[in-house]
């Protein structure tokens, strides 16, 4: 196993800059295990080689999809759009 150096250990700010992500996203990905990270006390640290391998192993961005056609509004009770109330008198005056 190679020896750790200052250049091989990154903090969350360096990872955010490297991956063009907000630091809050880096923290969230580290917490969820999306990015390989190690928690030392209250700090997250990232090993450059592990991060590089994880990014390279991640699936490529999906191809752009065609936009979906808008669906007609549902008017059944309980299906999103409330029915219009019936007024007891004529409003055409």
């Amino acid at each position: 196993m190679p020896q750790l150096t200052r250049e091989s250990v990154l903090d969350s700010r360096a990872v955010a800059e490297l991956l063009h992500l907000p630091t809050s996203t880096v923290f969230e990905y580290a917490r969820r295990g999306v990015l390989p990270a190690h928690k030392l006390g209250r700090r997250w640290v990232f090993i450059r080689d592990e991060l590089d391998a994880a990014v390279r192993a991640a699936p490529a961005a999906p191809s752009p999809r065609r936009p979906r056609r808008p669906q007609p509004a549902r008017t059944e009770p309980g299906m999103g759009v409330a029915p219009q109330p019936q007024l007891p008198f004529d409003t055409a005056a």
Side-chain angles (χ1 to χ4, degrees):
M1 179 180 249
Q3 184 114 2
L4 291 178
T5 64
R6 288 184 188 264
E7 291 79 31
S8 65
V9 178
L10 304 172
D11 65 2
S12 56
R13 270 187 298 197
V15 173
E17 186 176 314
L18 180 68
L19 299 179
H20 302 283
L21 295 170
T23 53
S24 59
T25 302
V26 171
F27 285 128
E28 178 67 18
Y29 285 177
R31 187 183 66 75
R32 291 183 12 212
V34 175
L35 292 175
H38 307 273
K39 191 157 187 187
L40 300 175
R42 295 179 65 182
R43 295 188 61 208
W44 286 99
V45 294
F46 303 82
I47 309 299
R48 185 181 295 273
D49 292 339
E50 293 175 358
L51 191 62
D52 183 54
V55 170
R56 290 181 188 276
S63 61
R65 296 186 339 178
R66 293 186 308 171
R68 295 176 65 189
R69 292 188 346 188
Q71 298 294 319
R74 297 180 181 175
T75 56
E76 300 171 26
M79 296 300 288
V81 178
Q84 294 295 321
Q86 296 297 321
L87 299 176
F89 51 89
D90 186 10
T91 58

